[in-house]
Amino acid sequence: MSEQLTQGAVEALFRNSEVDNPVLQLLRIREVLNSSGPNRYRLMMSDGLNSWSFFLLATQLNHLAEENLLKPNCVCQLKVTKTTTFPDGRVVVIVLDMEILQTAEDAGGVIGSPIPLKKEGQMSSSQEFASTSTSVLDSPPSAAVPGPSSENNSKCSSPLGGIGKDLMGNSPTKASPSKFSPLKGNNTSPGSSTKSVPIVHLNPYQSKWTIKARVTSKSNIRTWSNSRGEGRVFSFEVVDESGEIRITAFNNEVDKFFPLVEQGKVYYISKGNLKVANKQYCTLKNDYEMTLHAHSSIVPCDDSVGVPTVQCDFVPIAELEKKNVDTIIDVIGVCKSAEDVSLVVTRTGKEMSKRALNLVDSTGKGVAVTLWGEEAEKFDSSGQPVVAIKGARLSDFGGRSVSVLFSSAVMVNPDIPEAFRLRAWFDQKGHALNSQSLSGTKSVRGGARMNWKSLSDIKNEHLGHGEKAEFFSCVATLLHSRKDSCLYQACPSADCKKKVIDQQNGLYHCDKCNKEFPNFKYGLILHANLADFGDNQWVTCFQETAEVLLGHSAETLGRLQETDEAAFDEVFQKANFTTHIFNNKVKLETYNDETRLRVSVMDVQPVDHREYSRRLLDNIHKLAQ
C-alpha cells in the first residue's frame, strides 16, 4: 500500500509557507558535479498534485545515495527544509533532513498524476530539469544535511543546475558577474568586478561572493589538542547593514589573518567556506558561519560609510527574569560598582582571573555580570562607564546573573544611541536610585525560586528533607575548619579526582582509571563550621569552593604541609572569622544505616556590603508592612 502524500506541500514549500514534515515522492534525481568538494544532488519531488525540480540536498546525507537507498519513486518525509528565494526570482528548497518512508519497489510507481508547478515567465520544472546536462545516477543519490560546503570556489558547476549551467541553463563561464551572481550590491571590492553581497544573503550554495563588513569583535589565539592532533584557532565577528556572521581561522590562516584583522575596521572578505552554524559556540543570529582557508581573501576597505559599528538586540535587565537559563543575550547597563580582580581555580586546575560587575539600567533593576581572564584584568570601572555585552550567557546563579563567554564582545562606553540614552538617564537620576538586583535570590535546578535563608532556617524549615535536594544562599562566617584531614593524594588524570593507593614502589594506583602513575596531585575536601546570627552549621566544601575559601590551590597547600607546617597552619588561621556569601545544597542522606543532613557549599562569593544592606532594609520594610 502506497504512503499518503501531503497534497499541496510542493506549492507551500515553493511559497515558503509552513508545512509540518511533508511526505513527498521522489520522481527524478540528478548529480551536480563539484570539482572542489563533494558532489550535490538535485531532486524532482511530487506531492501527488504538483512536482517541482528545485529541491537541493545538503552534503551530509550523501551516504543515502552512496548506499543505494534514495531512488526514483521512493517516498520520503522532509523533516527540515529551507526555502531560498534569489532576487532574480529563482526559488530553491534545500533539504536539510529527511527520512525514507517507503522504498521505490514498495511504492510501485508514481503516485497520483502530478503536474509540474509553473512560475509565470519560466519553463516548467520538468522541462528545466531535462535541460540539464547531468545524467540520472544508476545508484540513488542522497539527502544531505548542510555541512562545510566546498563549492564556494567551484569553477565546474552550479549546485542549482546541471554541469556547467545554472538554473536557467546559462553557462556561468559566459555570463557577466552581474548576471551570474544572484545577489547584487552597490559596492565593488578593490581590484575585482564582483559586487559585495549582503551578509544576510550568504549561504553555502553560492559560488562567488564578496562581503563588505566591519569587525565588531576579535578573540585571542587559542590552542587546542585532541585525538586528531593540535592546532591554533581564532575567530572574529563582522557586521553590515543586513546582518552579522562569525568567521573562524585555523593554524596557517591564524598566522596570515590574525595580524591583519582589527576590531572596528572595515574589510572586503571573500572565498571563505560557509557551513551551518554550531549554535553551541556561535551566538549570532545567522544560520551560517564562515571558515577561512588558504585561498580566502581579506582586504582593508577605506570606505566605511553605511557600515554599522555593531548590531545588538539588547534585553532590558528587568526582562531577564522572563528569559530561560543559558539563553544567549545582549545586555547593556551602567557599571554602578565593580569588585576587585580575584583568582579562581578551574576544574582543570588552571588559574583564571575573575571580576564581578553590577550593571543597572533605566528599568530600575540591576544584575551581576562576571568577566573572565583578560577582560576581567583590563576592565576599568572608574567613572561608572556604560558597558554593553554582546553574546553573554544568562545564568540562574544567585537568581539571575550574566556570564561573559569566550565568544562574547564587551564594549565600554560604545558609540551607540542606547549607550547615550543610558548615560543621560544615569547622570540625571539613575545614580540616586536604589536599584533592585536580580542577583539577590537563587533560582535552583528545575526552575524553582528560592529566597535567602539564615542557618537557623535549615532546621526550622526542615530544608533538604524532601525527595530532592534544596538550594539556598546565606551570609555566614567561617569559625573553624578541619585542616588535618582535608588533603588527599588524588589521581593525576585531568578528569579524575579519585584517591590513589600508594603501591610503595614509587607508583600510585587509581581504581577508577585502573592505571598506575609515577606521581599524584593533591585533592582537597574541607569540612568547615559556619555561623550567622541565628545558628551554626557544619558544611562540606569540595576542591573548587575550598580553594576560594582558603585562597590557595590544593597543590600549594600540599607543598606547604610537606615543607612548612607553620605556613600551612597560618592559611587556615587567616581564613577563620572571614565572612562570605555561601551558596549551598542541602539533602538528607543515609549512609551505613545512619541518616544525616548534608550541606555542601556549591560556591563562595565575597559580600557586597552595599547590596547586602539594601536587602536587609528591604526585608525590614516587608516585615513592617
Side-chain angles (χ1 to χ4, degrees):
M1 181 177 178
S2 299
E3 290 281 347
Q4 185 74 27
L5 302 184
T6 307
Q7 296 189 348
V10 167
E11 185 173 2
L13 290 171
F14 169 78
R15 300 186 184 282
N16 201 15
S17 301
E18 185 175 348
V19 189
D20 187 22
N21 296 331
V23 177
L24 303 179
Q25 185 178 32
L26 174 66
L27 299 185
R28 302 186 197 176
I29 184 168
R30 296 191 185 278
E31 184 178 13
V32 180
L33 300 181
N34 181 14
S35 61
S36 59
N39 293 341
R40 296 196 177 270
Y41 297 95
R42 181 176 166 189
L43 312 177
M44 176 182 286
M45 307 290 288
S46 163
D47 62 8
L49 294 178
N50 295 109
S51 63
W52 180 249
S53 66
F54 290 82
F55 287 85
L56 183 70
L57 279 81
T59 56
Q60 280 97 323
L61 294 181
N62 281 0
H63 66 91
L64 294 178
E66 297 161 358
E67 296 172 6
N68 216 23
L69 298 176
L70 194 64
K71 296 181 179 180
N73 294 336
C74 71
V75 178
C76 310
Q77 184 179 53
L78 307 189
K79 293 184 175 181
V80 183
T81 62
K82 181 179 178 64
T83 301
T84 300
T85 303
F86 294 112
D88 60 5
R90 290 181 292 175
V91 178
V92 177
V93 179
I94 302 168
V95 180
L96 306 179
D97 190 15
M98 72 185 308
E99 179 183 356
I100 299 174
L101 302 180
Q102 193 173 49
T103 64
E105 291 78 11
D106 292 339
V110 177
I111 301 174
S113 302
I115 300 172
L117 185 68
K118 289 187 177 181
K119 185 179 177 183
E120 185 177 352
Q122 183 177 328
M123 69 179 75
S124 71
S125 61
S126 60
Q127 290 173 321
E128 197 284 329
F129 199 90
S131 71
T132 62
S133 59
T134 50
S135 60
V136 179
L137 297 176
D138 293 330
S139 61
S142 69
V145 179
S149 177
S150 303
E151 77 272 18
N152 295 326
N153 302 315
S154 173
K155 299 179 181 178
C156 176
S157 62
S158 165
L160 304 181
I163 299 177
K165 297 187 179 184
D166 64 13
L167 283 174
M168 304 308 296
N170 299 319
S171 171
T173 58
K174 297 180 180 180
S176 66
S178 60
K179 292 182 180 179
F180 172 73
S181 175
L183 305 167
K184 301 178 181 180
N186 297 322
N187 303 306
T188 303
S189 60
S192 171
S193 59
T194 304
K195 296 186 176 180
S196 63
V197 172
I199 288 176
V200 72
H201 288 161
L202 288 179
N203 64 71
Y205 312 104
Q206 295 171 263
S207 59
K208 293 182 180 179
W209 50 262
T210 297
I211 61 172
K212 175 184 174 183
R214 187 186 304 274
V215 178
T216 57
S217 67
K218 175 187 175 184
S219 74
N220 294 320
I221 298 175
R222 290 191 303 167
T223 57
W224 52 269
S225 177
N226 56 30
S227 58
R228 293 178 292 180
E230 299 179 347
R232 294 169 302 141
V233 60
F234 91 99
S235 62
F236 58 100
E237 296 171 3
V238 298
V239 64
D240 67 7
E241 288 181 316
S242 69
E244 52 193 343
I245 192 169
R246 185 188 188 201
I247 303 175
T248 303
F250 295 92
N251 300 327
N252 293 336
E253 281 62 58
V254 172
D255 295 331
K256 181 178 180 181
F257 295 115
F258 187 83
L260 174 64
V261 174
E262 295 183 29
Q263 185 170 337
K265 291 193 175 182
V266 178
Y267 298 88
Y268 289 106
I269 304 171
S270 61
K271 299 181 182 178
N273 284 336
L274 291 159
K275 64 177 182 179
V276 172
N278 185 342
K279 292 302 182 182
Q280 183 179 356
Y281 303 105
C282 184
T283 61
L284 302 185
K285 295 180 179 179
N286 195 320
D287 292 335
Y288 303 107
E289 58 185 336
M290 187 188 306
T291 302
L292 301 176
H293 53 74
H295 302 292
S296 298
S297 172
I298 298 181
V299 179
C301 173
D302 296 329
D303 180 17
S304 61
V305 177
V307 183
T309 56
V310 68
Q311 189 175 73
C312 294
D313 184 15
F314 292 118
V315 178
I317 292 178
E319 299 294 320
L320 294 181
E321 286 186 301
K322 302 177 183 178
K323 297 288 184 180
N324 293 328
V325 174
D326 293 332
T327 300
I328 303 301
I329 59 166
D330 302 338
V331 65
I332 186 171
V334 178
C335 179
K336 199 167 186 180
S337 62
E339 296 177 2
D340 294 333
V341 176
S342 61
L343 285 178
V344 296
V345 180
T346 65
R347 294 180 180 178
T348 60
K350 180 181 178 181
E351 287 191 344
M352 180 174 289
S353 301
K354 172 185 176 182
R355 187 196 295 265
L357 313 181
N358 176 29
L359 295 191
V360 298
D361 69 3
S362 56
T363 64
K365 302 288 185 178
V367 69
V369 176
T370 303
L371 304 180
W372 301 94
E374 187 178 343
E375 290 287 356
E377 294 172 0
K378 69 181 183 181
F379 182 80
D380 183 6
S381 62
S382 60
Q384 296 181 306
V386 175
V387 179
I389 305 171
K390 180 177 176 61
R393 187 183 300 280
L394 184 63
S395 168
D396 63 350
F397 179 76
R400 280 294 186 268
S401 59
V402 175
S403 183
V404 174
L405 306 175
F406 171 78
S407 57
S408 303
V410 179
M411 297 162 280
V412 178
N413 291 325
D415 187 13
I416 55 177
E418 294 89 344
F420 297 138
R421 288 196 291 268
L422 266 179
R423 181 81 270 163
W425 164 81
F426 187 80
D427 291 343
Q428 292 173 9
K429 58 181 181 180
H431 66 281
L433 291 180
N434 183 10
S435 300
Q436 180 182 356
S437 176
L438 302 183
S439 305
T441 57
K442 184 171 179 63
S443 182
V444 298
R445 292 178 180 91
R449 293 198 64 76
M450 198 167 193
N451 294 324
W452 289 76
K453 302 291 183 181
S454 65
L455 293 177
S456 60
D457 291 332
I458 299 176
K459 298 176 183 177
N460 297 337
E461 299 181 11
H462 303 289
L463 296 181
H465 286 248
E467 293 183 2
K468 296 182 179 180
E470 295 187 69
F471 297 81
F472 71 96
S473 299
C474 66
V475 175
T477 300
L478 173 64
L479 296 185
H480 172 71
S481 56
R482 295 171 180 165
K483 65 177 184 295
D484 296 333
S485 58
C486 66
L487 291 169
Y488 66 95
Q489 295 174 344
C491 176
S493 299
D495 300 324
C496 182
K497 296 181 180 179
K498 185 74 174 178
K499 185 177 181 179
V500 296
I501 301 172
D502 190 350
Q503 302 292 94
Q504 303 300 325
N505 60 358
L507 298 176
Y508 302 86
H509 179 77
C510 175
D511 289 337
K512 180 179 179 182
C513 299
N514 196 24
K515 292 182 180 180
E516 290 186 347
F517 300 92
N519 63 324
F520 63 87
K521 65 183 179 183
Y522 278 103
L524 176 61
I525 299 178
L526 185 67
H527 297 282
N529 189 262
L530 307 182
D532 64 5
F533 61 89
D535 204 346
N536 71 321
Q537 176 68 46
W538 280 99
V539 299
T540 301
C541 301
F542 294 98
Q543 184 155 324
E544 290 81 359
T545 53
E547 288 176 334
V548 173
L549 195 60
L550 297 175
H552 294 275
S553 68
E555 290 296 327
T556 300
L557 292 172
R559 289 195 299 269
L560 289 177
Q561 189 181 44
E562 293 175 353
T563 60
D564 191 342
E565 188 172 350
F568 179 74
D569 292 340
E570 187 179 358
V571 171
F572 291 84
Q573 290 296 330
K574 285 185 176 180
N576 289 342
F577 304 106
T578 57
T579 301
H580 310 269
I581 296 174
F582 294 88
N583 297 291
N584 314 291
K585 180 176 82 170
V586 56
K587 182 73 174 70
L588 196 65
E589 297 181 348
T590 301
Y591 182 74
N592 288 339
D593 297 327
E594 180 183 352
T595 300
R596 61 180 180 178
L597 194 69
R598 180 168 180 171
V599 180
S600 302
V601 178
M602 309 303 292
D603 191 68
V604 178
Q605 288 183 305
V607 179
D608 185 334
H609 292 282
R610 180 182 297 179
E611 291 299 326
Y612 180 49
S613 299
R614 288 172 179 169
R615 185 169 60 81
L616 293 178
L617 288 172
D618 289 340
N619 291 340
I620 292 172
H621 291 319
K622 290 176 183 178
L623 292 172
Q625 291 177 355

